[in-house]
């Protein structure tokens, strides 16, 4: 098992990259204007999401079509707590993550025995239900009115109101998630997930409690999704059910399919290429074709599966 | 008191009529899912988009969107045939190269195709809800066929129901009494053994796609007429609900799909009518999830023996 | 000229070298048998002949012409039909439909009906239950159905893969007598078996296979006396 | 290797039956393995040998019969009829939950009543109850009482629900005053009990005590390792990682230990790498630690599978046709390997077709045919048993031999 | 790997290039954000046309202080996420003086913090959510709020039409729900009975179940706060169920597609803009609009036309400076200082919301005509 991705095994590669990412807000000549910084921040959010989703389909081999549900859950938990109680992000964030874990486990527990297709459908239905509740329960979520006026993230009592501060904050979360995922991946936990992905029965016969490890995977994945959501709400300062459509699940899936399912650097790379690409396409394509972006993503998925099913950075070296 | 009872019962009857109509539409779409799943164990996510395509083709041919209009019957026939061909094309382009790939790959491809087709329709026809021009639809369809106190059954509902029944019967005959139908069932049970008997599996799969997609296209036109609304995302929701219907009945089983469609249609209408209308999609999802969790093989589904 | 000739067939399942150069010949009118232990590659050989698996190397000649690149259905049309291991009948189809599936490649209705009657005559058990689902039959009856189904394609060469698998001894004898009868009607047979003695008693010529190779070939009568065969089966 | 005395009874299967649908694949097979022994299990193809293995380690537990391993019962003692009854009760329990959950919520949270329930009841807490069904369906008699309480509570909710149903808006909630004191405790009971059961049924000891089926991973942890007829390696992982996975049930590091890189977890990881490498060297794959399992030659894959099973520190090793597809040199190596395993104090139960291997290795042999045990004894006894000869070579040959 | 790095480099480069490629032409940029594609494109169309028409008019009159106006369009599909991205793009382009836009309230609310942060003033021609004005001093609104329209409709239904029993069929979105709340509140005040309220989602096409329920309640009229595409289906389905009651809605139903539906005859709606009620200015606008785009102007076009006019007036008065423009707009705070446009006089309250008249129009023989009795 070559669990270390190339990205992490080659210092020549990742050190310059890390430096570039760290220095991005300070690149001269207006390059790092608010717009680029916003796109960069969004990219980092999607990197976190891609890493989180990757845990389930990438590591345990179960297709999750409802990841946006946890993203939305995290965003709404954080958004509502902030609006009602004006709590600090450092208090809200763990609560959002815990809520994500709770629903992740709840969703996971009964789906343990389901095969891949059915699991995918249940995850889809579950996330649609979450979004439906968010949309319809006005007393709780204000439904389609959205939740405006969410406070910005803060740190030690100071409000982080500069774009670069939000950028570094999500960068910090990304590195945190990356640390967790990389650690887990090369541990007995990660191995157990890979075993489940490859052969559930054999995994059981070497002593892996398949149910428990699947649940841990669901919980971790949901936690990361909720974390991204919580940051997103505080950064965006507005949440609305339309922000968590099914399409978002597909987009996140697209990121990891593009980068290579199960590959951590692949997930990062997928987000790194595709999210800025959506912005580039928005500008490059004429207005009448702005929907063609989605069309291209659909096509991209099909072509990747056809010609490079393992993605750009496949996990295995032959 | 009496009038209240009368009102309640006619409310119930009207909902029943609505539910059965809706159910028969779901059943028509669900059959397409179930047939493809039965034969190649693939959830053809793009099936809903074929249904949408059927509706759009019917609309375009009738309204002269492509620059020419066709008479009603011909337009319907042409769009059903084109849908059938589109289904075959879908199989050849997207799924056939992945026959031996992991099922996850095929499933993701299906989702990709679904997104692609939906947005293609958006580019061609635009995102707005389109309506059939009044003059293109036979006028009697709008008239009530049956008036029972407050209960109205429109000719359109009658036509939908009879078409659905007719198509289902035709499908039953094809699947059970034709050579190709026998081959489909054989492939569904054992692909290798079927090819050892000289069945060209790819060809039969193409037939399956053609049949299922044709039915989906027919459902698309019927729905387009019924609601007089055609729009690119119609396939997404209808597709999911029809899939839920197929699962409910036991995916892979045609009578199951029909029964599942009926149950789901009724559940949705009664749920929407008596409980909460904004959750009517939710009811479909919830029914689907519960059925999968409690009985993963559905009502009529057979437990597939693991072939070691 | 042999009816069927395998020349140096190699097959890999991924990295596993399952067939390591198999050479084999079957002449018209004969019964030949291929025996060997589990996992020796017997079924793989048959699947390669039926074009379900495409060998990476080597050539399969039928009537002297290569079968390379042919699809499984074309093989059946050419008159090569297989009764697969574990019978693999269609459990949800009726017995009649199962048999009709065998005649899938044939177009002449009348001839198919005639053959159906022929099969029912050969296996009266099937005739009695022609409307019953195939899955309701017992193991032996299923085996008969599988053979009958293959006969419906009017094969010149019948490939039988372990027809005795999991059957009671009495039933095994019955199946073998049926195979003999089919051979008597001029159909060439290649029989793959673990039940070595029964197979060798029936066959004209035998091959012994071990780990993807033919290690021994001789007329069946000679093989029956061969110590190496005994050793392979009872470890004596 | 728990230092058992040679000859001590390790595995005892008593009248194990396994049916699939109407087909009986294993018929009342009884078998014993003692510590230090190598026992062979042979029989023609389709005789039910692998099915029997699957019964032993709960991949597909037996329909009836008893299996004891080192003092633990590996099989449910609940009869199928009881299980069915419990299951039906449980199904009722789950169904009724759909009725009472909205009400429970309506009590706690009146403004949400009848709006939240459709989603919450269906997707949320109802999941818990369905999840509970599975463990309950293996449960013993006294649990039925609990179930009954739940069902009664549900029934109460249902009655209230029906009574209230005409028009919620106008009747108003508190008109139901006499029921109110009953509703809340009922809801609380169920809400507390559900997580409690969830917890309880996940503790292996508790489950074992109630005679539930052990899961395959628990059986592995108890000391039964196995290999498969058609190799089941994790083919995209390296050889070393495959074997490290074998160490899984002997390691304890948890999520936090791993993420925080606690010293314990790190030491454990190092240890398991060492032990895994040792196992690989033991089977002769010391040089292929980093090769991808799927790219190893066939014979090496077989040995890797054995190494993986050895890494679980088994007391009993189940080998399913380890020599299949091996050439004579390779099988000779295998015989040697199995001998060494046996010398290390691990009992071996082996299914094999290659008679050279079995006859050479086994102390005792059991013969299965059509799911029935037709003979047992030393290799010499078995070889000359007419029933065995008939099963293998056909009736005529047996007659000729006789 | 190298190729991959190069690819990443190219993408990075492209992104940054596009970001800094702001031109330095001698124009004043007015950004217009709205859905121009997707399901709500027909509304966005009006916004676009109105803006272009006004810009053309100003430019042909010599521009503002000699500088031409340039309209830059941002398509946000009515999606909050897209809206935020579009808004950041506008905000980071220093040439953009003011934004006219965001049609859907959800998009407006998502973009709002970004404009506020960048100090960029914005005028929405169509978002009626009450939240908007309150949340930011930089946001102005050239349309009435939901609550005003809801109150108005309730009064109209009771006083002019003399309805007794109303059923409501509302879409689950911010616009429709705001309307519904306001309507119900006002109905309660004036003693109009609301006998039932049912909701539907934007993607709903089957309303029969709920309509059947209403049918049994025999309402005098059904109020449809929502948008035209669903409303037209809803009305047809109600008629096919044999319902005879009246239908009415708010400005969301003011759309050409209603005219194609013969069942919709008699439907009345509120609108901020009525062709035959206006003076010469309106007549001229309508004529030029028809001439240029060969379709009838809708109220989105009219409101946008005025919003761009307002923006241009502000720029003309104080120059191209965001802060000053905001101050100028905020200064239009009384009827005397009001901006006179085709939709009447516009002035803002402290929140940046405006008070506008609403009119009622109805469909007669497939044409919109203004109702004979208006409520003042």
């Amino acid at each position: 098992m070559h669990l270390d991705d190339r990205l992490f095994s080659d210092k020549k590669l990742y050190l310059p990259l890390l430096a570039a990412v760290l220095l991005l807000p300070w690149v001269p000549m207006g390059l790092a204007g608010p717009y680029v910084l916003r796109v960069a921040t969004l990219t980092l959010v999607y990197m976190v999401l891609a890493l989180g989703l990757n845990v389930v389909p990438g590591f345990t081999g179960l297709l999750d079509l409802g990841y946006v549900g946890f993203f939305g859950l995290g965003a709404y938990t954080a958004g509502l707590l902030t609006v009602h109680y004006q709590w600090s992000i450092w208090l809200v964030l763990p609560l959002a993550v815990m809520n994500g874990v709770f629903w992740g486990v709840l969703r996971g527990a009964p789906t343990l025995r389901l095969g891949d297709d059915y699991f995918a459908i249940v995850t889809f239905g579950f996330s649609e239900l979450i979004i439906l509740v968010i949309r319809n329960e006005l007393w709780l979520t204000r439904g389609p009115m959205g939740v405006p006026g969410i406070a910005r993230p803060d740190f030690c009592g100071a409000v982080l109101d500069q774009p670069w501060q939000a950028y570094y904050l999500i960068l910090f979360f990304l590195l945190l998630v990356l640390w967790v995922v990389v650690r887990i991946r090369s541990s007995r936990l990660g191995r157990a997930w890979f075993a489940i992905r490859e052969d559930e029965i054999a995994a059981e016969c070497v002593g892996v409690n398949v149910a428990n490890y699947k649940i841990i995977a669901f919980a971790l994945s949901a936690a990361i999704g909720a974390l991204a959501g919580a940051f997103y709400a505080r950064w965006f300062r507005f949440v609305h059910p339309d922000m968590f459509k099914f399409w978002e699940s597909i987009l996140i899936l697209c990121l990891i399919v593009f980068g290579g399912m199960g590959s951590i650097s692949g997930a990062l790379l997928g987000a790194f290429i595709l999210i800025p690409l959506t912005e580039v396409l928005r500008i490059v394509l004429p207005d009448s074709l702005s929907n063609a972006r989605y069309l291209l993503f659909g096509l991209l998925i099909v072509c990747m599966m056809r010609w490079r099913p393992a993605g750009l950075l496949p996990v295995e070296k032959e | 008191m009496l009038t209240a009872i009368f009102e309640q019962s006619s409310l119930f009857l009207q909902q029943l009529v609505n539910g059965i109509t809706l159910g028969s539409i779901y059943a028509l779409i669900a059959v397409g899912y179930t047939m493809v799943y039965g034969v190649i164990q693939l959830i053809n996510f793009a099936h809903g988009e074929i249904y949408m395509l059927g509706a759009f083709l019917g609309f375009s041919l009738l309204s002269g969107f492509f620059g020419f209009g066709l008479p009603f019957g011909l337009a319907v026939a042409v769009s059903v045939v084109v849908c059938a061909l589109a289904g075959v094309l879908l199989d050849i382009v997207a799924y056939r190269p992945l026959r031996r790939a992991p099922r996850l790959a095929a499933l993701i491809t299906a989702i990709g195709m679904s997104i692609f087709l939906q947005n293609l329709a958006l580019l061609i026809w635009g995102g707005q809800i389109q309506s059939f021009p009044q003059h293109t639809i036979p006028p009697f369809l709008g008239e009530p066929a049956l008036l029972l106190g407050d209960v109205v059954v429109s000719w359109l509902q009658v036509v939908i129901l009879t078409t659905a029944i007719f198509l289902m019967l035709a499908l039953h005959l094809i699947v059970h009494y034709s050579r190709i139908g026998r081959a489909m069932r054989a492939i569904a049970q054992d692909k290798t053994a079927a090819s050892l008997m000289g069945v060209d599996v790819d060809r039969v799969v193409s037939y399956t796609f053609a049949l299922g997609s044709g039915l989906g296209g027919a459902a698309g036109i019927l729905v387009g007429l019924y609601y007089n609304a055609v729009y690119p995302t119609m396939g997404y929701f209808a597709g999911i609900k029809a899939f839920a219907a197929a699962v409910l009945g036991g995916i892979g089983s045609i009578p199951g799909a029909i029964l599942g469609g009926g149950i789901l249609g009724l559940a949705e209408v009664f749920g929407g009518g008596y409980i909460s209308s904004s959750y009517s999609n939710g009811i479909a999802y919830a029914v689907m999830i519960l059925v999968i969790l409690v009985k993963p093989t559905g009502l009529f589904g057979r437990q597939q023996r693991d072939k070691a | 000229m042999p009816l069927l000739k395998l020349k140096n067939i190699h097959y890999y399942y991924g990295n596993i070298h399952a067939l390591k150069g198999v050479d084999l010949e079957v002449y018209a009118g004969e019964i030949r048998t291929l025996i060997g232990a589990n996992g020796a590659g017997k079924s793989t050989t048959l699947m390669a002949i039926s074009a379900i698996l495409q060998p990476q190397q080597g050539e399969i000649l039928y009537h002297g012409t290569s079968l390379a690149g042919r699809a499984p259905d074309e093989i059946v049309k050419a008159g090569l039909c297989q009764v697969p291991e574990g019978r693999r009948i269609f459990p949800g189809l009726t017995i009649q439909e199962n048999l009709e599936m065998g005649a899938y490649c044939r177009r002449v209705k009348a001839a198919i009906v005639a053959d159906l009657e022929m099969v029912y005559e050969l296996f009266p058990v099937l005739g009695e239950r022609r409307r019953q689902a195939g899955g309701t039959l017992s193991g032996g009856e299923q085996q008969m159905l599988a053979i009958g189904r293959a006969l419906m394609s009017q094969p010149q060469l019948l490939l039988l893969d372990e027809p005795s698998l999991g059957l009671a001894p009495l039933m095994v004898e019955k199946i073998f007598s049926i195979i003999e009868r089919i051979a008597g009607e001029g159909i060439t047979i290649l029989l793959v078996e673990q039940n070595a003695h029964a197979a060798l008693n029936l066959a004209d010529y035998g091959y012994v296979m071990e780990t993807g190779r033919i290690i021994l070939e001789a007329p069946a009568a000679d093989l029956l006396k061969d110590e190496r065969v005994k050793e392979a089966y009872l470890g004596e | 290797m728990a230092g058992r005395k040679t000859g001590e009874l390790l595995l005892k299967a008593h009248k194990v039956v396994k049916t699939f649908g109407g087909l009986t694949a294993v018929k009342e097979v009884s078998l014993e393995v003692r510590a230090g022994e190598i026992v062979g299990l042979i029989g023609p193809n389709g005789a039910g040998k692998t099915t029997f293995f699957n019964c032993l380690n709960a991949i597909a537990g037996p329909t009836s019969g008893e299996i004891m391993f080192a003092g633990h019962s590996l099989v449910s003692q609940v009869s199928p009829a009881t299980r069915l009854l419990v299951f039906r009760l449980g199904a009722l329990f789950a169904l009724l939950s759909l009725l009472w959950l909205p009400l429970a919520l309506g009590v706690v949270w009146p403004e949400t009543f009848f709006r939240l329930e459709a989603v919450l009841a269906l997707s949320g807490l109802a999941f818990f109850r369905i999840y509970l069904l599975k463990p309950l369906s293996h449960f013993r008699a006294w649990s039925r009482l609990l179930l009954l309480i739940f069902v009664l509570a549900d029934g109460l909710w249902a009655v209230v629900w029906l009574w209230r149903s005409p028009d919620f808006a106008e009747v108003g909630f508190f008109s139901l005053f006499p029921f109110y004191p009953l509703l809340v405790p009922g809801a609380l009971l169920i809400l507390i009990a559900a997580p409690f059961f969830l917890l309880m049924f996940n503790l292996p000891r508790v489950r074992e005590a109630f005679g539930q089926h052990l899961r395959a991973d628990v059986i592995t942890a108890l000391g039964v390792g196995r290999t498969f007829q058609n190799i089941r390696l994790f083919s995209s992982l390296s050889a070393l990682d495959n074997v490290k996975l074998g160490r899984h049930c002997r390691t304890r590091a948890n999520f936090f230990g791993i993420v925080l890189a606690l010293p314990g977890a790190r030491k454990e990881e190092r240890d398991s790498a060492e032990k895994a490498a040792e196992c690989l060297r033991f089977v002769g794959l010391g040089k292929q630690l980093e090769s991808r399992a799927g790219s190893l030659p066939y014979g090496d894959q077989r040995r890797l599978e054995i190494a993986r099973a050895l890494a679980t520190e088994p007391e009993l090793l189940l080998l399913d046709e380890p020599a299949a597809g091996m050439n004579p040199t390779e099988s000779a190596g295998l015989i040697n390997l199995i001998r060494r395993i046996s010398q290390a104090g691990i009992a071996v139960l082996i299914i094999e077709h290659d008679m050279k291997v079995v006859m050479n290795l086994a102390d005792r042999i059991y013969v299965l045919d059509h799911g029935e045990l037709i003979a047992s004894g030393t290799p010499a006894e078995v070889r000359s048993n007419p029933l065995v000869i008939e099963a293998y070579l056909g009736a005529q040959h047996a007659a000729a031999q006789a | 790997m190298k190729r991959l790095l190069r690819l990443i480099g190219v993408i990075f480069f492209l992104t940054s290039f596009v970001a800094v490629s702001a031109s330095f032409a001698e124009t004043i940029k007015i950004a217009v954000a709205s859905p121009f594609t997707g399901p709500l494109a027909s509304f966005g169309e009006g916004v676009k046309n109105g803006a272009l028409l006004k810009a053309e008019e100003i430019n042909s009159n010599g521009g503002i202080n000699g500088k031409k106006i340039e309209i830059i369009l941002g398509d946000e599909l009515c999606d909050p996420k897209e809206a935020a991205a579009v808004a950041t793009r506008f905000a980071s382009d220093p040439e953009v003086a003011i934004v006219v836009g965001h049609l859907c309230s959800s998009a407006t609310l998502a973009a709002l913090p970004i404009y506020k942060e960048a100090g960029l003033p914005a005028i929405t021609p169509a978002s009626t959510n009450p939240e908007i004005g309150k949340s930011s001093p930089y946001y102005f609104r050239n349309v009435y709020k939901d609550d005003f329209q809801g109150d108005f409709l309730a009064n109209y239904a009771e006083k002019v039409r003399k309805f007794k029993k109303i059923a409501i069929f509302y879409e689950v979105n911010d616009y429709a729900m705001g309307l519904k709340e306001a309507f119900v509140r006002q109905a309660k005040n004036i003693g109009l009975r609301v006998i039932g309220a049912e909701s539907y989602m934007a993607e709903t096409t089957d309303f029969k179940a709920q309509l059947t329920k209403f049918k049994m309640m025999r309402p005098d009229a059904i109020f449809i706060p929502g948008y035209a595409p669903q409303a037209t289906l809803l009305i047809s389905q109600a008629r096919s169920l044999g319902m005879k009651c009246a239908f009415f809605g708010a400005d969301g139903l003011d759309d050409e597609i209603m005219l194609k539906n013969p069942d919709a005859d008699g439907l009345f709606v509120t609108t901020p803009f009525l062709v035959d009620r206006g003076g010469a200015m309106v007549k001229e606008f309508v004529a030029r609009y028809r001439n240029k785009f060969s379709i009838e102007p809708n109220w989105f076009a009219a409101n946008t036309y005025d919003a761009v006019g307002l923006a241009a007036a502000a720029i003309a008065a104080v120059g191209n400076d965001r802060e000053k423009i905001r101050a100028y707009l905020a200064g239009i705070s009384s009827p005397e200082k009001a901006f006179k446009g085709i939709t009447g006089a516009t002035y803002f309250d402290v929140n940046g919301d405006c008070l506008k008249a609403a009119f009622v129009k109805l469909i007669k023989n497939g044409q919109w005509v203004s109702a004979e009795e208006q409520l003042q």
Side-chain angles (χ1 to χ4, degrees), chain A residues 117-118 121 136-137 246 291, chain B residues 103 122 236 243 251 278-279:
Chain A
D117 301 342
Y118 287 114
I121 285 295
N136 281 296
E137 296 309 316
F246 176 55
N291 279 311
Chain B
R103 281 172 66 185
L122 199 67
Y236 166 64
F243 178 75
I251 192 153
S278 31
Y279 279 119

Side-chain angles (χ1 to χ4, degrees), chain E residues 68-331:
Chain E
K68 299 256 185 246
I69 286 186
E70 190 191 340
I71 299 285
I72 55 173
L73 298 173
D75 184 5
E76 33 84 321
L77 300 163
C78 200
D79 178 311
K81 218 182 108 204
E82 297 279 314
V86 166
T88 322
R89 237 179 92 207
F90 291 158
S92 61
D93 181 351
E95 311 243 317
V96 170
I98 184 166
V99 176
V100 171
H102 298 294
L103 192 143
C104 305
S105 299
S106 56
T108 309
L109 283 171
L112 185 139
I114 293 159
Y115 295 141
K116 191 171 161 189
E117 204 168 277
L120 178 61
I123 309 174
T124 170
S127 296
T128 47
N129 189 312
E131 212 63 55
I132 294 164
K134 279 184 261 172
S135 312
S136 163
Y138 287 89
Y139 234 109
F140 299 90
R141 165 151 48 194
N142 185 32
V143 66
Y144 42 59
K145 289 189 287 181
D146 287 334
D147 31 10
F148 167 73
Q149 201 176 186
D151 292 353
F152 177 86
L153 269 169
N155 291 336
Y156 187 85
E158 206 267 340
K159 298 206 172 91
V160 179
R161 288 303 187 95
K162 313 277 186 244
F163 290 142
K164 299 271 178 303
K165 292 195 290 184
I166 306 281
I168 304 179
F169 217 135
Y170 64 98
E171 184 173 328
V172 182
N173 67 28
D174 47 346
Y175 161 71
M177 293 167 88
L179 263 174
K180 177 209 141 206
E181 301 282 313
F183 184 91
V184 171
R185 199 184 329 114
Q186 183 66 8
K188 212 171 183 181
N189 290 342
I190 60 174
L192 183 65
R193 257 188 82 198
V194 174
I195 53 171
E198 288 287 329
S199 62
Y200 63 88
M201 310 287 277
E203 66 272 5
T204 312
T205 45
D206 186 356
F207 307 97
K208 289 198 168 151
Q210 297 94 306
L211 282 171
T212 306
K213 214 159 128 187
F214 280 160
K215 187 182 169 188
M216 305 305 163
M217 299 179 181
R218 300 181 205 289
D220 296 329
I222 294 180
F223 173 39
I224 313 173
Y227 292 116
Q230 289 81 21
T232 172
L233 301 180
L234 198 156
I235 294 171
S236 295
Q237 286 176 23
R239 295 285 184 238
S240 82
L241 282 173
M243 295 177 76
K244 302 275 189 300
C245 62
F247 289 92
F248 65 100
D251 48 15
L253 264 53
D254 181 5
D255 193 279
E256 291 296 303
I257 64 166
M258 295 305 303
L259 298 178
K260 291 189 207 148
N261 184 355
D263 292 326
D265 230 41
L267 168 86
F268 68 91
V269 302
T270 47
T271 176
F273 169 70
L274 258 187
V275 176
D276 47 0
R277 288 272 156 167
M281 237 165 117
V282 174
K283 298 246 155 54
E284 196 200 330
F285 163 75
V286 172
R288 294 192 329 124
Y289 192 95
R290 276 193 200 135
N291 189 22
K292 188 162 159 78
F293 306 108
S294 31
I295 46 167
E296 288 293 311
N298 55 15
W299 67 268
F300 291 100
N303 274 359
T304 313
Y305 182 88
D306 272 358
V308 174
L310 251 170
I315 298 166
V318 297
N320 188 353
D321 180 299
R322 291 176 177 181
E323 201 49 51
K324 283 184 190 155
I325 293 173
R326 191 205 76 79
Y328 177 85
L329 289 175

Side-chain angles (χ1 to χ4, degrees), chain D residues 26-54:
Chain D
V26 176
K27 290 176 207 154
E28 302 204 340
V29 172
S30 301
L31 174 151
E32 279 176 14
V33 180
R34 290 172 186 280
E37 262 186 330
I38 301 180
V39 176
L41 182 62
I42 63 171
N45 251 359
K49 304 180 298 286
T50 301
T51 314
F52 180 70
F53 260 31
N54 287 344

Side-chain angles (χ1 to χ4, degrees), chain A residues 188 192 206-208 213, chain D residues 244-252:
Chain A
R188 68 190 280 270
V206 296
V208 174
Y213 285 91
Chain D
K244 271 188 185 171
L245 263 161
R247 297 293 310 156
H248 187 92
C249 57
R250 304 288 169 223
T251 46
R252 287 288 157 265

